Amino acid sequence: MKFKFILLHLIIGTCGLKAQNMVSMSSIHPAADTAGTDKKELAIRYSALRQFGVSFNSYGYSDFDVKINDRNFAQGKVKTERVSTFFNTPAVRWHNNSLSATAYYTYTSTELKDITNESAYGKLYPLKSDKNTFDLALNYSRSDSIFNHPITYSLVARGITDNFSTIRRFNFNGSFTLPIKKNENTSFSVGLLVLIDPSSPLPVEPIVNYYHKFPSSGLELIVDLPNGVNLKKSVSKNAWFTLGSNQTSYSIFYNHYNEFLDGKISYNTIELKSGATFEYLFAKNIVVSVGGGYNNFLASRVFRDGERYNNASIISTVKGSSYVNIGASLVIILNFQILFSYFYFQQITILMHHDSGL
């Protein structure tokens, strides 16, 4: 296969699978830490904690250029459209422990045009491509105390793939959070997040969770690092307007063999969406949303086996572009019988992969 077919997916931005900043929201908001808060209120505040969601994102054309081993390869324009879904199970709790799962599916359509080739290594041509990707995260958290102060620990294991025959990558992260303050209008906690992921720029990141509602105006400040910062305002009983910036990462995987790319390959982007979203709650538990803004690429790299963020061989620079988003999500608590059936199915699937040497 010619090199151009690999570069269609490996070099361009926004092609892949939602990995929620390479961490799970359960590391930032573990169920054991939120047990005393109304679940529907939390789900309205943090969209990734809802039970189910589907969204469509369309991005404008972005300029990109590619370097291989610090040498210019090609440049052009890219356009991406993406349909993303996620499903959060309710948590199973025993004593001070909590266990849940999150499943993601993403369909991505990508178009390349206006290509200029700058290397003798190969050529990149205008092309279109579609891709399906899947992600499952198992989330465990525990409430405890240290020096008579409450603390919450969280462990998350993720399996990511582009088909059901093999798991292409396992990522792990662990965290702890310390609640500092919590009252009717304010909550504040801090912590530390450890990432076991070669595509992560940093192995350790701080966690800062700050929420404050200004009673006089109804304005809500939501600081949710390392994910984002947002201002939210209720415009009616069941409608909200949000303005802010949120970071997300995407991954995609290949097997390829030539003088440039040998074996398993991982392509990752880290992106920052800044814009506005309008949400409306109707039929009691269904939230619909529409939004738009500007999407910046903080990083876009290809990793061979053994390579990490700082020594990636192929680096792409992708300029930002406008985006529009429409979505729908559920803020309901699922039946526990459904939950246990879901966990049983997922555990059997993982054991089958493990026993197969995958």
Side-chain angles (χ1 to χ4, degrees):
M1 182 181 294
K2 294 183 180 180
F3 195 46
K4 63 181 181 181
F5 296 109
I6 313 300
L7 289 171
L8 168 64
H9 296 286
L10 295 180
I11 297 169
I12 358 179
T14 70
C15 180
L17 157 72
K18 185 170 183 180
Q20 291 195 348
N21 193 33
M22 295 166 288
V23 305
S24 170
M25 284 293 286
S26 292
S27 290
I28 313 301
H29 303 282
D33 186 43
T34 58
T37 307
D38 182 79
K39 297 300 178 293
K40 189 169 184 178
E41 178 184 340
L42 279 174
I44 291 174
R45 187 184 306 170
Y46 303 105
S47 61
L49 293 180
R50 296 168 187 173
Q51 274 67 58
F52 173 80
V54 57
S55 64
F56 169 75
N57 285 273
S58 180
Y59 301 84
Y61 282 101
S62 299
D63 294 324
F64 74 90
D65 62 74
V66 183
K67 289 186 177 181
I68 300 178
N69 296 321
D70 293 326
R71 296 181 178 180
N72 292 336
F73 181 84
Q75 59 180 298
K77 292 184 180 294
V78 57
K79 180 178 174 61
T80 303
E81 293 183 340
R82 182 187 299 120
V83 178
S84 300
T85 66
F86 70 87
F87 169 71
N88 286 319
T89 71
V92 176
R93 295 186 176 90
W94 68 101
H95 304 298
N96 295 327
N97 305 285
S98 176
L99 182 67
S100 63
T102 305
Y104 305 94
Y105 165 75
T106 300
Y107 165 82
T108 303
S109 176
T110 308
E111 178 188 359
L112 287 180
K113 73 173 189 177
D114 298 344
I115 306 300
T116 301
N117 293 286
E118 303 175 332
S119 173
Y121 290 159
K123 292 185 180 297
L124 185 63
Y125 296 100
L127 291 171
K128 292 185 178 181
S129 175
D130 301 314
K131 186 68 177 179
N132 299 294
T133 46
F134 308 89
D135 179 0
L136 174 67
L138 297 178
N139 317 302
Y140 168 79
S141 62
R142 175 178 173 80
S143 292
D144 212 326
S145 63
I146 182 170
F147 303 118
N148 296 319
H149 192 88
I151 186 172
T152 301
Y153 303 98
S154 180
L155 295 173
V156 179
R158 308 178 68 93
I160 309 173
T161 186
D162 55 359
N163 60 71
F164 289 114
S165 63
T166 183
I167 300 296
R168 302 302 300 267
R169 175 194 282 175
F170 284 104
N171 291 345
F172 302 91
N173 64 76
S175 65
F176 70 87
T177 54
L178 294 166
I180 305 299
K181 180 179 181 179
K182 187 172 184 179
N183 57 38
E184 182 180 357
N185 294 316
T186 306
S187 63
F188 179 42
S189 63
V190 296
L192 207 60
L193 174 70
V194 178
L195 297 165
I196 304 178
D197 184 344
S199 65
S200 174
L202 298 172
V204 179
E205 295 189 43
I207 295 173
V208 179
N209 244 325
Y210 180 76
Y211 169 82
H212 181 72
K213 183 174 183 178
F214 299 90
S216 58
S217 64
L219 190 67
E220 299 172 81
L221 172 62
I222 305 171
V223 179
D224 188 34
L225 301 178
N227 290 331
V229 177
N230 294 276
L231 285 172
K232 193 168 189 175
K233 179 73 168 69
S234 175
V235 294
S236 71
K237 181 180 178 181
N238 293 322
W240 300 267
F241 183 80
T242 302
L243 182 67
S245 295
N246 297 277
Q247 182 180 230
T248 314
S249 71
Y250 301 89
S251 301
I252 201 165
F253 307 94
Y254 290 88
N255 287 335
H256 196 72
Y257 300 91
N258 61 22
E259 60 182 301
F260 308 109
L261 303 173
D262 186 12
K264 293 182 179 180
I265 300 156
S266 170
Y267 173 60
N268 279 61
T269 63
I270 303 175
E271 305 171 24
L272 184 68
K273 278 186 176 179
S274 299
T277 302
F278 174 78
E279 292 186 308
Y280 180 71
L281 175 67
F282 76 99
K284 189 177 181 179
N285 294 311
I286 301 175
V287 176
V288 293
S289 64
V290 58
Y294 195 77
N295 188 53
N296 282 290
F297 286 80
L298 305 181
S300 177
R301 304 192 177 203
V302 175
F303 305 97
R304 298 186 179 99
D305 273 350
E307 289 186 333
R308 305 184 69 83
Y309 181 86
N310 292 327
N311 66 348
S313 300
I314 301 178
I315 299 176
S316 175
T317 301
V318 186
K319 292 185 178 180
S321 67
S322 60
Y323 74 90
V324 294
N325 169 275
I326 58 173
S329 54
L330 298 178
V331 289
I332 61 174
I333 301 299
L334 298 180
N335 185 293
F336 275 92
Q337 182 177 356
I338 298 175
L339 167 67
F340 286 123
S341 299
Y342 175 85
F343 266 108
Y344 178 79
F345 172 76
Q346 295 295 353
Q347 290 293 335
I348 293 299
T349 302
I350 291 173
L351 288 173
M352 288 174 62
H353 286 309
H354 181 269
D355 293 339
S356 303
L358 300 176

